[in-house]
Amino acid sequence: MTVSDATLHPFATAELGLADFAAALTQGRISSVAAVGAALDRIEASQPTLNAFRIVRREKALAEAVAADERLAAGERLPLLGVPIAIKDDTDIAGEPTAFGCGGELPPKIEDAESVRRLRAAGAVIVGKTNTCELGQLPFTSGAAFGHTRNPWGAEYTPGGSSGGSAAAVAAGLVPAALGSDGAGSVRIPTAWTNLVGIKPQRGRISTWPAAEAFHGLTVNGPLARTVADAALLLDTAAGPHPGDLHTPEPLTVSDAVGRDPGRLRIALSLRIPFTATRTALHPEVEVAVQRIATTLRRLGHSVTVADLHYGIMIGASFLPRSLAGVRHVYDKMPGVQVDPRTTANVWFGRALSGPALFAARQAETLLHKRIGGFFRNYDLVLAPTTATPPPRTEEIDGIGVNATNDLITAACPYTWPWNVLGWPAVNVPAGFTDTGLPVGAQLMGTANTEPLLVSVAAQLESELHWERHRPEPWW
């Protein structure tokens, strides 16, 4: 929806994207109080069924909206002044606990995370913290502490994870955009399963402070939105280092890549599944959807060649110690937290892998950059499925053991985690729907600091496919 000349009714804000929302506020077509209030009403009306939020900041958000309106009336202009957004509940916001999907009584945080500080500095009003699974371990968003978050496209299906609450909130029109995090696909997977754009940026592009790095360098923060332009705007707004960060890539902007001609690119179509210990297979409907993206790229003038990436065993051997040691590290910083026995088991494995195995895993990254980077001598980008299957049913993850859980999540989502090991950027783009109406996605993957190129190509696809026009039925 594009901002019109008419004054906006608060309910109409559910249709607005991030940039249009900001424009409507700047032009005085709606107040922040009305817009934030409408977002909060949608959240609370949908919460018993969709269950996207762990914390709803009604009183605080409305007070912040009052202040935003005063600043707007005084002529102040900021990128997101007065715009309601959401953040994932693995990210600190002052005055609120960070439960990270877990149970137990947790103290409120004293300071904002660096990404939240930057969003506030841009004027954003944070309406709440979205649900995530325990310590971000699953491509499902459910847990004993909060129940199940549902997919706006089908209540019996998961929206994915671990940024599933953020994805559900944006896809359902509760907020125009949200921030999530991606340690093994946790932005890309839920955006694939909810018809959204999700950007996993270069490691360090958005600070993870107060963690100097998250999950031993695997996890980055990234935006979820309906359009490429909105995701790029949120990325640019949240991006930037904290003095304590371990990873500080050279600054760049991505919003200005939207609409820019990337030229004729050499794109590798790789359907090969990275090595796993679990039997995996690409679902036929997902393959058809990814091939449809490849066809569109060819129509746009790019060269798309079937050329499988061969990741090798080393990349998996590098991922597991970093991931499980990261689970252990976060768990140890949350005394008294209540978790599922599967999380307890992963904490135990993380302790066992926190010594020489973790050291070797970190050392392997340089070799992996060199070997996989060599693939890009012949190609500019890689196109691959984001997931191997459409969204599973929400309750499939319930009441099963560690091995069955690993088999389930690996079979559904074997494609995304290598890029977390490498620390390079990737973008999920909506790739269409299954015969039963469930969204699936494809990912564009590049080498270091290629976010502008990825965004440029993703915007080209959006201009052809117009996925932003497809919305689920309202949940409020």
Side-chain angles (χ1 to χ4, degrees):
M1 178 177 177
T2 302
V3 176
S4 69
D5 293 332
T7 299
L8 286 168
H9 190 282
F11 290 120
T13 58
E15 297 295 315
L16 292 180
L18 194 64
D20 281 346
F21 222 128
L25 287 161
T26 297
Q27 295 162 10
R29 296 193 177 119
I30 193 168
S31 70
S32 181
V33 167
V36 169
L40 289 164
D41 289 346
R42 291 193 295 271
I43 291 167
E44 293 185 358
S46 67
Q47 191 63 10
T49 49
L50 190 65
N51 192 22
F53 282 79
R54 185 70 182 265
I55 293 172
V56 180
R57 302 178 69 245
R58 176 172 279 277
E59 291 184 6
K60 294 175 183 177
L62 286 172
E64 292 166 13
V66 170
D69 281 332
E70 292 172 352
R71 297 165 72 183
L72 286 162
E76 188 172 354
R77 298 294 179 259
L78 294 169
L80 299 179
L81 185 54
V83 178
I85 66 165
I87 63 168
K88 182 178 177 179
D89 195 27
D90 64 345
T91 301
D92 293 350
I93 183 167
E96 310 292 351
T98 299
F100 208 160
C102 302
E105 293 296 322
L106 296 162
K109 296 297 181 177
I110 297 173
E111 294 182 341
D112 291 335
E114 177 65 16
S115 58
V116 171
R117 187 194 70 78
R118 289 178 178 272
L119 291 173
R120 286 187 187 275
V125 175
I126 299 170
V127 295
K129 303 188 75 176
T130 56
N131 275 324
T132 177
C133 58
E134 289 181 3
L135 308 186
Q137 299 168 91
L138 305 172
F140 288 74
T141 298
S142 59
F146 63 89
H148 297 91
T149 297
R150 305 283 175 175
N151 193 318
W153 293 93
E156 64 269 41
Y157 297 94
T158 181
S162 60
S163 305
S166 289
V170 177
L174 309 185
V175 290
L179 199 64
S181 62
D182 190 313
S186 289
V187 164
R188 288 163 289 162
I189 292 164
T191 51
W193 285 345
T194 56
N195 195 51
L196 298 177
V197 176
I199 302 178
K200 175 215 169 298
Q202 176 74 23
R203 183 185 299 147
R205 183 73 60 212
I206 298 177
S207 174
T208 55
W209 189 263
E213 64 172 6
F215 284 75
H216 300 283
L218 293 179
T219 296
V220 301
N221 293 327
L224 303 87
R226 291 194 191 106
T227 68
V228 176
D230 283 348
L233 173 59
L234 188 57
L235 174 55
D236 283 342
T237 305
H242 183 278
D245 289 348
L246 286 182
H247 308 284
T248 54
E250 286 296 316
L252 53 78
T253 59
V254 296
S255 293
D256 55 7
V258 177
R260 181 193 301 161
D261 183 0
R264 186 175 186 270
L265 300 177
R266 304 163 302 164
I267 299 174
L269 172 59
S270 179
L271 302 180
R272 181 186 179 91
I273 293 175
F275 174 81
T276 67
T278 300
R279 183 181 296 239
T280 56
L282 180 59
H283 191 285
E285 288 188 278
V286 177
E287 181 173 358
V288 166
V290 176
Q291 292 285 3
R292 187 183 306 121
I293 296 294
T295 298
T296 305
L297 289 167
R298 292 186 184 104
R299 190 166 64 245
L300 288 163
H302 302 295
S303 170
V304 182
T305 306
V306 176
D308 283 327
L309 260 172
H310 294 267
Y311 293 98
I313 296 176
M314 183 188 297
I315 198 163
S318 174
F319 173 78
L320 281 175
R322 293 166 69 173
S323 176
L324 293 173
V327 170
R328 187 273 308 171
H329 177 75
V330 175
Y331 175 84
D332 285 350
K333 293 176 68 176
M334 301 173 70
V337 74
Q338 298 170 5
V339 296
D340 185 275
R342 291 170 290 187
T343 297
T344 304
N346 283 342
V347 169
W348 185 89
F349 284 119
R351 293 193 201 286
L353 293 171
S354 291
L358 178 59
F359 177 80
R362 297 307 301 262
Q363 296 300 111
E365 188 173 313
T366 300
L367 295 174
L368 290 166
H369 280 163
K370 182 176 181 181
R371 188 169 67 78
I372 296 175
F375 185 84
F376 287 87
R377 286 194 290 267
N378 298 316
Y379 299 98
D380 301 299
L381 298 176
V382 174
L383 169 67
T386 303
T387 67
T389 70
R393 292 187 179 273
T394 303
E395 284 81 9
E396 281 189 53
I397 199 68
D398 293 353
I400 58 176
V402 173
N403 291 336
T405 298
N406 290 338
D407 288 348
L408 173 60
I409 66 177
T410 303
C413 301
Y415 280 103
T416 47
W417 57 269
W419 246 243
N420 296 89
V421 173
L422 297 166
W424 293 343
V427 176
N428 174 77
V429 295
F433 297 83
T434 66
D435 290 343
T436 55
L438 295 173
V440 294
Q443 57 177 334
L444 299 165
M445 305 182 292
T447 53
N449 305 311
T450 55
E451 290 101 323
L453 182 61
L454 295 167
V455 162
S456 178
V457 176
Q460 280 189 322
L461 286 166
E462 182 177 281
S463 69
E464 289 286 312
L465 301 175
H466 290 292
W467 51 66
E468 78 283 1
R469 296 175 180 172
H470 301 284
R471 309 284 178 90
E473 292 297 318
W475 280 69
W476 59 88

